[in-house]
Amino acid sequence: MTVRGDFKEPARPRPELVIGREELFAGAREQLSGGGSVLVHGPAGIGKSTVLRALAAECAESARTVLRCSATESESHLPFLALADLLGLVVDEIADRLPAPQRTALESALTGRGESTLQRDGLALRLAVLSAFRALAARGPVLIVADDLQWLDPASAELLGFAARRLGGTPVRMLCAVRTETEPQAQDHDRFLRASVPETLALRLAPLARAQVAELLVQRGYTGLPRSTVRDIHRTSGGNPLFALELGRALAESPTRPSPGEPLPVPTSLRALVLSRLDMLSAEARRTLLVASAGARPTLALLHAAGRENAEAETASAAALGLLATERDAPGIRFAHPLVSAALYAEADAQERRAAHSALSRAASDPIERARHLALATIGTDPAVAARLGEAAAAARDRGAPSVAVGLGLLAARHTPADTRPSSDERRLQAAEDALTAGETDLARDIARQVLARATTPAERVRAWMVVVDSAGQAMAEIDAVFPQALADAGDDPGLVALVRYQLGWRALLMDGEMTKAREEAARAARLAARAGDRRTELLALGFQAQMETLMGHPDAPSTIQRAMREPQDPRVACDHNGAGAARFRWLIMGDRLAEARTAITALLREVQRRGMVESELHFLRGLAETELRSGHCGRALDLARESLRLARDTGIGEAATAMFTSLAEAAGGDVDRALALAHEAVDRAEEDGDMVYLSRALGALGHAELVAGDASAAVRSLRRVRELEEALGVIDPARGRWHGDLAEALVRIGETAEAQDVIDVTRRRALRLERESVLAVLDRAEALVRAARGEQGPAERQLASAQDRLGKLGYGLEEARAAYALAGLRTLPTAPGARAGGAPLPGPTAYDEASRLFRRCRALPWLRQVETAAALPPAAPPLAPAALDTLAATERQVAALVMEGATNREIAGRLFISVKTVEATLTRVYRKLGIRSRVDIVRLAAERRSD
């Protein structure tokens, strides 16, 4: 098929077509925009055709002619078919430009008349194809789009390769795709690369990550799948988009979905695709492969123990057929693709599967695996099997594998007879709680809902309600109706009421923004739990109460933490993100005890990783990142924050909170645009969830990013909202969000010095009462800027130098560097003669040396770029006359001075690190204060005053 140059395709592909391919697209775009060619390769189903279409759509408008061909296996025996697709519709337009022998040979090949062959026409046909491409290129750029090169008929492939190797220097680009082997190390695309335009860029399509597979499934309409199911789809598909979509389709069409640990339904289309060579195996070899597919980690030794005596020979024959991957000196047996294993298992009937599991239940050395296989080999209820599964689930839990415990627990529930203890619903609830630990919140909620549909026991119902509440995370507004139902089920039982009251404390905090009420509910829950002898709930309630008291600046916070840390302790609560250990960490970091905070959070993180407690791991990764950021280790903080964000995206837990903190880390040591995007995401998510607590934190991160980006006006708007929200929440301790210095600094930049001083005064009183030394030092840094704006240059410099010294001693490396940067900025400002010794500013580069050194030590790249830009600026313009200066704030004087130099608003914005809108607003105030109307009037007024 031929597409003419006047055929208009979409300039950009739909977003879902390029999921997970951003980096590859960037490389391909750069290559194609520079006139180069691209060869995309990878295994079947990996998305080559999709990528090819999207890239072609982008490049089509820049080409005069677009030529296309897409070969198929069934037509690969037809000579010159691909050539006809490429040139059939344009040959008449350029035929008269070809020599007669070439024209005759080409027309014969394209039409089938005259029985043209490469053997007979030889060089004439080859030169005809080359001449045709050159003739088309003479009229304008040509784009050749060829898909599935592996199915090109040999004649067309030879002709295309001949021409491509000789098209260097002509405006002809080739965009091609070819299927290659699954293994990344395979180099079978090389022969196609050698037949391409010189210096063609080869790009291999890699499998999609789990989050990308999840996004793809949602884009194609397969929504509502539990994360555990998406995880299984990703594992079974190996990240192959086509396989993932086919598995998603099969699930959508299935009346029942598999339970955790059960295999996915593999549609017939995929079975045929991956098992086409299975018929070449003997019946015994197929049984051996089935046993291998049923095992978690199959080895030759395991197969022998399972009764497969000829495992070596049978697996070798399977490897020769490409069903197994061959690995030297590797004890394990690995299928060529995870889907091969899944399809083999799906192909077997129920009796064959049970036989395989029965053999493995005797052969496996691990008790957890033996129990799982025994369950899968057993039909109906069996108390002995259920008991063994319950023990296996407990062992998996102790090993830090809660996701394994979920599957075992559900199997145990299935094999539990009626009227036994623990009951099937008790086992399901334990599985739901294990799912919460593993970060599978949607699975936990689904299990709990199933229990609620039939359970009548108050204890089971309340326990199930608590799982529903916990699985909602920050979005408590979605399950608000749960609380009255849970209280009704709890009745007068103090232990059950304590569970509900504890969650009501979180509701008061997240939905109503009432810390006082949250503290009261937590204290009430702790008392009820103590009365009922439920130490676990008591410890959680005390930990929550301590967190509230810490944020409120309540004097009881230290004693509550001590109560929560007394023996006896529940090991899982001790390291829980809502436990006393987490509350103690928050107390330490807010009290400037950074070294102790790092030790505490590192120990907590290590323990929850050992136990597989995903949500707690996420919290403690953020906590460690925060500690490193406070300490001025920006690179380390950024690495930890990005790791936590990947985990949050993968599990769907705490995405708003993690985006918020990652924004702070990006603004300190990464990319400011990324920081802004993440902060906006955090704000949007918090507003959608109705989460007042994290909304204030997210706005604080947004305001900080806006300040670093140079948009002081936007920073003021965001941080004013934070101030209002925290006053409403009852947050007293300024060490909670540490946004106060940023707000004061942003207010100074826009000329609102009176409000800046008010922020400083109010915050200072609270910081003094709570002994927050680092907060006080940051406030002094901000106050120095206020004083400088009022013309108090000497006192401002001394206050900044003192703040820098104190922040350094406290270990706040980044804040110390910011103080040095502000001090350097003051020392390079123009001053009136006599304001400082010598009456002249220090040279820019010299003044900024200390700030540059400190930011470099912190790896604070966004700040370092600001310093380097400031140091490279020419000396500041002379100030306006003293009489005019009296009426202008510091930023207004700087803007006016640059106007006198002839700088545009954009140039002023760049030199002062503020937005163009801020420059415009500042000029408006200057005009008003000086009684003038335009930039010209500034220059005229200054000249008049100098002449006086």
Side-chain angles (χ1 to χ4, degrees), residues 370-427:
R370 286 201 303 271
R372 186 177 74 87
H373 289 301
L374 178 61
L376 293 172
T378 303
I379 301 175
T381 61
D382 187 318
V385 171
R388 285 186 61 179
L389 284 164
E391 293 168 0
R397 206 174 297 122
D398 291 340
R399 289 184 189 180
S403 59
V404 174
V406 175
L408 293 168
L410 292 176
L411 282 172
R414 183 191 306 173
H415 290 286
T416 299
D419 302 323
T420 59
R421 285 288 178 269
S423 68
S424 59
D425 279 342
E426 286 178 291
R427 293 192 188 280

Side-chain angles (χ1 to χ4, degrees), residues 233 235-238 240 242-244 246-247 264-267 269-271 273-275 335-346:
I233 290 175
R235 183 180 63 246
T236 304
S237 69
N240 184 295
L242 174 64
F243 298 171
E246 284 295 295
L247 290 168
L264 296 174
V266 180
S269 59
L270 289 185
R271 294 188 204 180
L273 180 64
V274 299
L275 298 180
F335 285 90
H337 190 278
L339 192 61
V340 176
S341 174
L344 269 166
Y345 191 87

Side-chain angles (χ1 to χ4, degrees), residues 413-579:
R414 183 191 306 173
H415 290 286
T416 299
D419 302 323
T420 59
R421 285 288 178 269
S423 68
S424 59
D425 279 342
E426 286 178 291
R427 293 192 188 280
R428 288 187 181 90
L429 286 170
Q430 180 61 65
E433 289 164 358
D434 287 332
L436 285 176
T437 301
E440 303 287 356
T441 54
D442 48 357
L443 174 61
R445 181 188 59 249
D446 291 345
I447 296 171
R449 293 287 189 187
Q450 291 170 15
V451 172
L452 286 165
R454 57 176 173 267
T456 57
T457 306
E460 290 179 356
R461 290 190 62 79
V462 171
R463 191 175 168 191
W465 285 127
M466 295 305 96
V467 171
V468 172
V469 172
D470 279 331
S471 65
Q474 309 296 119
M476 279 203 166
E478 298 176 2
I479 47 93
D480 200 30
V482 162
F483 293 102
Q485 298 177 66
L487 279 173
D489 285 330
D492 297 327
D493 186 312
L496 298 180
V497 174
L499 288 170
V500 183
R501 287 292 167 192
Y502 170 69
Q503 296 290 5
L504 282 170
W506 281 103
R507 181 196 177 282
L509 175 67
L510 297 176
M511 288 187 61
D512 301 332
E514 296 184 12
M515 285 192 175
T516 300
K517 184 178 178 182
R519 173 181 176 271
E520 291 170 354
E521 289 285 11
R524 184 176 179 183
R527 290 192 299 270
L528 286 166
R531 204 169 90 202
D534 181 357
R535 182 63 171 160
R536 180 182 184 278
T537 302
E538 181 188 7
L539 290 170
L540 283 170
L542 287 171
F544 182 42
Q545 180 183 341
Q547 288 189 54
M548 294 302 94
E549 290 172 349
T550 298
L551 295 176
M552 295 166 63
H554 197 286
D556 289 349
S559 63
T560 304
I561 291 174
Q562 288 178 359
R563 286 172 59 203
M565 300 191 76
R566 288 178 194 152
E567 296 296 335
Q569 284 289 316
D570 181 314
R572 295 184 69 81
V573 175
C575 63
D576 190 273
H577 59 280
N578 289 322

Side-chain angles (χ1 to χ4, degrees), residues 162-207:
F162 176 86
R165 291 189 295 272
R166 291 161 177 80
L167 284 173
T170 62
V172 176
R173 294 171 293 171
M174 293 185 69
L175 178 55
C176 305
V178 63
R179 181 186 300 181
T180 52
E181 293 300 322
T182 301
E183 296 299 322
Q185 60 268 28
Q187 297 295 317
D188 46 348
H189 70 281
D190 280 356
R191 61 190 179 94
F192 296 99
L193 196 60
R194 288 192 293 272
S196 302
V197 173
E199 299 183 2
T200 293
L201 175 66
L203 296 171
R204 179 178 177 80
L205 286 181

Side-chain angles (χ1 to χ4, degrees), residues 927-946:
Y927 298 156
R928 185 176 64 249
K929 288 182 179 182
L930 299 182
I932 58 180
R933 295 183 177 181
S934 69
R935 297 163 64 93
V936 175
D937 291 334
I938 294 177
V939 179
R940 176 186 54 76
L941 180 62
E944 290 174 357
R945 300 211 173 192
R946 286 196 185 96

